[in-house]
Amino acid sequence: MDNFAAPLEELIDSFASLPSIGRKSAQRLAFHMLSMDDASAQKFIDSVTNARSKIHRCPVCCNLTDKDICSICSSPSRNKSTICVVENPKDVIAIEKTHEYNGVYHVLHGAISPLNDIGVEDICAKELILRLQDDSVKEIIMATNTTVEGEATAVYLSHLLKPIGVKVTRLAYGVPVGADLEYADEVTLVRAIEGRQEL
Amino acid sequence: MDNFAAPLEELIDSFASLPSIGRKSAQRLAFHMLSMDDASAQKFIDSVTNARSKIHRCPVCCNLTDKDICSICSSPSRNKSTICVVENPKDVIAIEKTHEYNGVYHVLHGAISPLNDIGVEDICAKELILRLQDDSVKEIIMATNTTVEGEATAVYLSHLLKPIGVKVTRLAYGVPVGADLEYADEVTLVRAIEGRQEL
């Protein structure tokens, strides 16, 4: 008997198929799952089925929501003339936590990455272009990650969007607040010097 | 909107409640769960319900099994006169993988740990003592972990079992095979010297 009983092995395989869960973690999770009381296990299963059935993409901004139109797009207090373009729903939460941005968002659900076979048609880019058909949008803020893929996506989309006549901006590059200059990498420092501002 | 939609937050909470899954990992797992196709998601849920309904403790050795009596206890080729006592089902698999042990097992499902409020009544110790009521068992091999809790459990159980008249042994302590002596800790080296054997 080199393996656990079949249903337990299947449960371990299920967990091991999730991202960043190795075999040992999957075992630990499976044993935990077996030791749970019935109510907690049912709650776990319900949360999976519930989220999968209720969560969908907002037809306007492609962010994940359980409403017909997400709470940001449907809010009358948000400024619909500025769209902040991000890669993932997590980035929306990150920017919302600043409490400084009052515009709306567009979630691409990824970034262009030819090496991984992800082209512009695999991200929610055409939905963004559709939003520009009325003239109400004045500015697009590219807030994709500052990785190679995020940069490429920002540059590619700006080339698509500028001919439409909308202002396209990019988040400022620079030294993070609270950082020691000696630990900043060269590229970041160069960008920070280039983008210096008068005091 | 500082948070994700409610069903998504609940799914993240569900994952975050699992052992050794932090908030960021839980988010990644939740997003993965949403992006799965229906068949994979159903397979995941089925594996949880399946394992929970079918897996139970073997009434003889307390190992986890989906049969009435586990495959080791019910095997006619196993030597029922030797019982190897381990803390967890994973330890059974580890010893089985050696293909050297032909006796049966007893899984305690834990170790005595007064600091964590785990006493002898919280582990499957009485089931072990019940197995000694007929005279067929000749030897008990204590293969609990060599941690403080595992040692305490082995010593405590041996005190309970010896009066019954059964031979109680403990796994040998020593230097692991393939190890550099310079990296062995003092306690292990002392045990290895004490347990030295003639070549």
Side-chain angles (χ1 to χ4, degrees), chain A residues 72-102:
Chain A
I72 294 178
C73 288
S74 59
S75 162
S77 67
R78 307 290 298 222
N79 171 10
K80 305 286 194 303
S81 70
T82 307
I83 299 178
C84 179
V85 178
V86 295
E87 290 183 26
N88 295 305
K90 291 176 211 169
D91 304 328
V92 173
I93 303 291
I95 297 179
E96 282 296 283
K97 281 193 171 152
T98 65
H99 298 290
E100 286 288 330
Y101 177 69
N102 194 37

Side-chain angles (χ1 to χ4, degrees), chain B residues 44-66:
Chain B
F44 180 86
I45 290 171
D46 288 347
S47 71
V48 174
T49 46
N50 225 351
R52 284 185 55 87
S53 63
K54 288 187 184 160
I55 296 285
H56 57 93
R57 290 183 183 180
C58 168
V60 180
C61 72
C62 298
N63 196 3
L64 297 177
T65 181
D66 56 340

Side-chain angles (χ1 to χ4, degrees), chain B residues 184-197:
Chain B
D185 65 289
E186 290 85 354
V187 182
T188 301
L189 270 182
V190 169
R191 296 294 189 103
I193 293 167
E194 284 171 1
R196 67 192 180 278
Q197 302 198 321

Side-chain angles (χ1 to χ4, degrees), chain A residues 54-186:
Chain A
K54 289 189 184 159
I55 296 285
H56 57 94
R57 289 183 184 180
C58 168
V60 181
C61 71
C62 299
N63 195 5
L64 297 176
T65 182
D66 57 340
K67 306 195 174 62
D68 288 341
I69 289 181
C70 81
S71 56
I72 294 178
C73 288
S74 59
S75 162
S77 67
R78 307 290 298 222
N79 171 10
K80 305 286 194 303
S81 70
T82 307
I83 299 178
C84 179
V85 178
V86 295
E87 290 183 26
N88 295 305
K90 291 176 211 169
D91 304 328
V92 173
I93 303 291
I95 297 179
E96 282 296 283
K97 281 193 171 152
T98 65
H99 298 290
E100 286 288 330
Y101 177 69
N102 194 37
V104 291
Y105 293 91
H106 191 85
V107 180
L108 295 172
H109 290 281
I112 297 170
S113 172
L115 282 178
N116 297 315
D117 229 10
I118 301 172
V120 69
E121 66 285 354
D122 298 314
I123 61 175
C124 296
K126 62 177 182 300
E127 290 86 345
L128 175 60
I129 293 163
L130 281 176
R131 290 176 77 177
L132 304 181
Q133 284 186 331
D134 61 26
D135 287 346
S136 62
V137 179
K138 302 295 177 212
E139 182 176 357
I140 305 271
I141 303 172
M142 286 293 165
T144 51
N145 292 333
T146 56
T147 56
V148 176
E149 292 82 9
E151 293 290 337
T153 308
V155 171
Y156 185 91
L157 289 182
S158 72
H159 283 305
L160 283 184
L161 298 173
K162 273 183 184 165
I164 303 177
V166 68
K167 183 178 167 191
V168 184
T169 57
R170 181 86 172 106
L171 285 190
Y173 303 98
V175 188
V177 178
D180 262 351
L181 271 198
E182 70 173 308
Y183 298 116
D185 64 290
E186 289 83 355

Side-chain angles (χ1 to χ4, degrees), chain B residues 74-91:
Chain B
S74 59
S75 163
S77 68
R78 306 292 297 223
N79 171 9
K80 305 285 195 300
S81 70
T82 308
I83 299 178
C84 179
V85 178
V86 294
E87 291 182 26
N88 295 305
K90 291 176 212 172
D91 303 329

Side-chain angles (χ1 to χ4, degrees), chain A residues 14 20 33 36 38 47 52, chain B residues 14 33 36 38 47 52:
Chain A
S14 277
S20 71
M33 216 44 136
M36 270 182 176
D38 284 348
S47 71
R52 283 186 55 85
Chain B
S14 277
M33 216 43 136
M36 271 181 173
D38 285 347
S47 71
R52 284 185 55 87

